[in-house]
Amino acid sequence: MPARYAIANWKMNLPPEGIETYLKALGAGGNGAARIVVAPPFLYLKDVVSLARSRVAVGGQNCADQPSGPLTGEVSAPMLRECGAEFVIIGHSERRTLFGETDAMVARKLGVAIESGLTPILCIGEDQKIRDAGEAGIFVSNQVKSAAVPPLQKVKTLLLAYEPVWAIGTGRNATGAMVREMVTEIRSALERFWPSRFVQSAPILYGGSVTPDNVADLAANGQIDGYLVGGASLDSRKFLAITTA
Ligand code: PGA
């Protein structure tokens, strides 16, 4: 399937070619129809907003689980919106594993993001131990279930990103067939736990060591609507090659 969305998650990095050159290349390059979202570190959000061309939207990598308040060091969803972000990544596995985000926090963040008018990109995915135990399906189903917050009733678009923890930044991506199997699990969980309009319509992306070299199998066999890209998104040529796969 051609990608409908391609998200560049810079994490705590900047593209070596420079922000301006990078965004010029994204604006000019590629003939794919994918909606491109660039998620820079917070400090660079406004720079990316002002340099982004029409095809490119901007997203936060995270947001606080409250709309405002005494939370030193946090950035809220309304602030992201005010700076020009349209999207926000919620529940990335690095947030969950390195910063202790629980399913309950992820659910609160999702609610605040929706209330603030941002389009959430909700990340879910199992780690290696869970996969080895044959419990990947039930694990992601439970993540979907715990994110079933009341504000879902009013969200226009919400993206899900299946991102197995063992594939993130490891150079070991899931195969298209593995992803397809998990997409089926995720759609079945959406059917059971979320408002019915999401079941078929919610775009599901894949993330985890996506590169121009492995994207063809994911595009052909993964049953996905696009990609959430970390490492390879720091190079505009590599990222564009993924968006047009
Ligand atoms: P990666 O990161 O492409 O570097 O594996 C993906 C992600 O964490 O979203």
Side-chain angles (χ1 to χ4, degrees):
M1 287 203 289
R4 288 169 59 202
Y5 294 92
I7 321 293
N9 177 11
W10 290 357
K11 309 193 180 185
M12 202 173 70
N13 301 297
L14 294 173
E17 68 204 83
I19 295 179
E20 194 166 351
T21 309
Y22 178 98
L23 288 167
K24 242 189 218 154
L26 288 200
N31 41 16
R35 183 90 198 271
I36 292 175
V37 180
V38 174
F42 290 138
L43 273 179
Y44 300 90
L45 218 126
K46 278 194 169 177
D47 295 332
V48 175
V49 167
S50 69
L51 291 165
R53 310 288 172 87
S54 60
R55 265 188 91 196
V56 180
V58 183
Q61 297 179 8
N62 177 33
C63 67
D65 67 352
Q66 305 294 326
S68 66
L71 294 169
T72 303
E74 289 290 277
V75 172
S76 76
M79 289 170 185
L80 290 176
R81 190 77 195 96
E82 177 119 350
C83 287
E86 293 175 60
F87 292 78
V88 63
I89 298 170
I90 305 272
H92 189 280
S93 74
E94 285 153 17
R95 301 296 319 169
R96 294 179 190 257
T97 57
L98 304 174
F99 297 94
E101 283 190 15
T102 61
D103 281 347
M105 281 168 84
V106 170
R108 285 197 299 275
K109 289 180 180 212
L110 192 60
V112 177
I114 293 169
E115 300 286 2
S116 310
L118 291 167
T119 298
I121 303 162
L122 174 66
C123 299
I124 54 176
E126 81 287 355
D127 66 18
Q128 186 69 59
K129 227 171 108 196
I130 293 166
R131 173 154 286 266
D132 290 345
E135 288 167 4
I138 182 80
F139 185 81
V140 295
S141 298
N142 282 335
Q143 286 182 318
V144 167
K145 183 179 179 186
S146 66
V149 290
L152 281 179
Q153 296 289 357
K154 44 180 140 161
V155 72
K156 251 194 7 234
T157 313
L158 185 149
L159 316 185
L160 286 119
Y162 169 57
E163 294 215 307
V165 180
W166 50 268
I168 293 176
T170 59
R172 203 159 57 90
N173 65 292
T175 63
M178 286 161 100
V179 173
R180 187 173 61 231
E181 209 174 284
M182 293 303 287
V183 167
T184 305
E185 296 279 357
I186 293 165
R187 291 225 180 272
S188 141
L190 291 175
E191 189 168 354
R192 276 174 290 151
F193 306 121
W194 281 29
S196 57
R197 66 203 169 85
F198 285 106
V199 177
Q200 288 310 323
S201 72
I204 301 180
L205 318 182
Y206 167 76
S209 297
V210 180
T211 68
D213 297 329
N214 59 32
V215 72
D217 169 45
L218 293 162
N221 303 310
Q223 290 282 308
I224 41 176
D225 302 284
Y227 310 97
L228 176 46
V229 189
S233 79
L234 291 168
D235 177 323
S236 61
R237 270 186 318 167
K238 284 189 190 164
F239 185 56
L240 274 174
I242 292 167
T243 68
T244 51

